[in-house]
Amino acid sequence: MDLKLNNFGQYNPKNTAGYRTSYELLNRGVNLILSIFFMVFSIPLMVVLIPVVIFVNGWPFIYAGVRLGKNKNKFVMYKFRTLPVDFEQQYDAQLVSYSHGYRLPWFCRFMRDTRLDEIPQLLNIIKGEMDFVGPRPVRPSVYNAFCRSIKGYDKRFSVKPGLIGYSQLFTPHSTPKRIRSFIDNRATRFKKNILCDTLIILLAGFGVITKTIHLLSRISVTLTMEKVLRQYTNKRGLDRIKQKDGLVEFCAETGQFDYFCMDFEPDRGILKDINEEYIRVDTRVPLKKDRVMFRALAKVKTKLGQTHRKSFFSYGTVFKVYEIEDQRYKYAYILRYEPVSELNRYFVDQYFLRKSLMRYVI
């Protein structure tokens, strides 16, 4: 995580609006009008979502959790429930991830990935506890466990938390707190701009709509293949994401990542697909060890109309291997992988699993 964060992610808040309010009364009026408009507009959607949330997660269908707002004042934030009722008590000071061993039902993953679970926070905006655009509110336990020690993190408490934040819009849920706080705390230096705030809201809406269509299309194809055509049964708790021109370069010796900077030809394989825990790699020759170190590369879209090659470094343990009928590759390996750092895990989630709402912007 030893980054030169001043150049991180090509994010330049000087070209955007910030979080700091210039005219409190005007800002309050705009937030109130927009929140009431979107609340009325979302009523048909909530009529559909609420019965499903109750069916999947039971009662209560609204999650009400304590968060830290402006000046660290505590308030109750609302969301549609996507986790069991006692989940927060069990993992109070932890960030929710697949590593807890709990597999979210597909509907809950859909709600979280599309951010539709955050619609009830329009009530927080109406009550004046949140703004439309601002840093996302944080749980007190998470702040004490992970954020208090981050340099400059408390700058975010000089403004109201928001339904939409720059870091939330452009990075995945699992992004390390240090990276997210860098983006959000930079924005707290600059004053709000109604036009730019409107653009951010429109971008968020576009991201939610495209993500919803994409996920619904994938679910529809899966259900059609499984229930109608009966070609296969999907037993995976995590979705595999295919990679474009994926490549895996294995280290010559354990622990020697520096070899990748040297002029030599490493052992290679093709990165076929990846999820949060496993990757599939096709190789010409069998791996010499069950425990390997590697760099994975793939082409990803990072800007409108542009494609770049991204990579991450990781450890890998052979989970399964089988021979395949291919002219170029003979073995297919399923590796359980562990990125070497939080930053490399961020690269996986951002560029390979494509979890952020607006991955085509930065």
Side-chain angles (χ1 to χ4, degrees):
M1 290 295 295
D2 292 331
L3 301 175
K4 292 183 178 179
L5 286 178
N6 290 331
N7 298 319
F8 177 77
Q10 301 177 2
Y11 174 77
N12 185 3
K14 292 184 179 180
N15 298 328
T16 63
Y19 293 151
R20 192 172 295 279
T21 302
S22 300
Y23 305 99
E24 186 65 39
L25 186 61
L26 176 62
N27 180 71
R28 174 66 180 142
V30 171
N31 277 275
L32 187 61
I33 293 172
L34 287 177
S35 58
I36 294 175
F37 170 78
F38 283 113
M39 180 69 74
V40 174
F41 181 77
S42 62
I43 287 177
L45 180 60
M46 289 191 287
V47 169
V48 175
L49 292 177
I50 290 175
V52 183
V53 173
I54 295 175
F55 176 78
V56 174
N57 292 314
W59 191 271
F61 65 91
I62 290 290
Y63 162 81
V66 177
R67 296 293 187 270
L68 296 178
K70 186 175 180 180
N71 299 323
K72 295 186 182 178
N73 292 325
K74 294 182 179 180
F75 71 99
V76 177
M77 188 196 73
Y78 306 110
K79 297 176 67 174
F80 284 128
R81 183 174 294 282
T82 56
L83 294 169
V85 175
D86 60 345
F87 195 92
E88 186 172 351
Q89 284 71 32
Q90 296 182 38
Y91 305 100
D92 182 45
Q94 300 183 42
L95 301 174
V96 178
S97 73
Y98 68 92
S99 62
H100 290 114
Y102 176 76
R103 294 292 180 262
L104 289 172
W106 72 265
F107 176 75
C108 296
R109 285 187 286 128
F110 167 78
M111 292 284 285
R112 293 171 68 87
D113 289 344
T114 58
R115 311 316 196 259
L116 291 176
D117 61 326
E118 295 170 2
I119 291 177
Q121 287 163 45
L122 292 170
L123 291 173
N124 292 113
I125 299 176
I126 293 174
K127 293 170 63 177
E129 297 163 335
M130 294 174 60
D131 281 345
F132 257 99
V133 179
R136 292 293 295 157
V138 61
R139 296 203 311 262
S141 57
V142 171
Y143 168 73
N144 291 324
F146 298 101
C147 308
R148 184 186 293 273
S149 61
I150 297 176
K151 184 178 179 179
Y153 188 87
D154 284 6
K155 293 178 182 178
R156 68 193 288 116
F157 298 119
S158 64
V159 299
K160 286 183 180 181
L163 174 64
I164 305 165
Y166 293 123
S167 64
Q168 180 221 20
L169 188 59
F170 298 118
T171 64
H173 279 305
S174 56
T175 301
K177 290 294 184 181
R178 182 182 174 187
I179 294 176
R180 279 198 160 187
S181 67
F182 167 76
I183 297 174
D184 283 326
N185 292 342
R186 285 285 300 274
T188 60
R189 303 178 187 176
F190 303 94
K191 294 180 179 180
K192 284 180 176 289
N193 181 297
I194 294 178
L195 292 178
C196 289
D197 278 6
T198 302
L199 176 60
I200 291 297
I201 293 171
L202 292 176
L203 280 176
F206 173 77
V208 169
I209 292 172
T210 54
K211 193 84 170 182
T212 299
I213 294 174
H214 173 73
L215 292 177
L216 287 177
S217 299
R218 183 191 297 176
I219 292 169
S220 299
V221 171
T222 300
L223 291 177
T224 300
M225 295 290 289
E226 180 181 352
K227 303 297 183 181
V228 179
L229 301 180
R230 299 185 181 278
Q231 292 193 10
Y232 71 96
T233 299
N234 183 24
K235 297 182 179 180
R236 304 184 189 94
L238 302 170
D239 294 326
R240 296 187 302 178
I241 309 298
K242 293 185 180 298
Q243 302 300 307
K244 182 177 181 180
D245 297 329
L247 180 68
V248 170
E249 297 178 340
F250 295 98
C251 288
E253 295 181 18
T254 301
Q256 297 184 4
F257 279 110
D258 290 343
Y259 279 13
F260 286 117
C261 300
M262 300 175 64
D263 186 17
F264 84 108
E265 186 70 17
D267 294 332
R268 291 184 175 180
I270 296 298
L271 173 60
K272 301 292 288 187
D273 53 50
I274 183 173
N275 64 24
E276 285 88 341
E277 292 185 275
Y278 298 94
I279 65 171
R280 173 181 165 177
V281 183
D282 292 357
T283 64
R284 296 186 180 91
V285 296
L287 297 178
K288 299 177 182 178
K289 300 179 180 179
D290 290 337
R291 175 81 170 175
V292 295
M293 300 180 73
F294 64 87
R295 177 174 68 170
L297 307 94
K299 288 184 177 180
V300 298
K301 291 182 180 179
T302 56
K303 290 185 178 180
L304 291 174
Q306 297 187 22
T307 301
H308 297 273
R309 184 172 288 277
K310 298 293 182 178
S311 66
F312 70 92
F313 292 92
S314 180
Y315 304 99
T317 303
V318 176
F319 174 74
K320 185 182 296 185
V321 59
Y322 52 92
E323 295 188 9
I324 56 177
E325 296 181 1
D326 190 289
Q327 294 181 351
R328 295 182 301 168
Y329 301 97
K330 185 176 180 182
Y331 302 97
Y333 280 89
I334 307 298
L335 302 178
R336 184 173 185 135
Y337 70 99
E338 307 164 30
V340 298
S341 67
E342 283 187 329
L343 179 61
N344 281 272
R345 167 54 70 181
Y346 163 75
F347 290 152
V348 173
D349 292 342
Q350 175 76 313
Y351 300 116
F352 290 78
L353 298 179
R354 305 190 284 272
K355 288 186 175 183
S356 63
L357 281 179
M358 298 302 300
R359 62 189 174 88
Y360 294 113
V361 177
I362 64 173

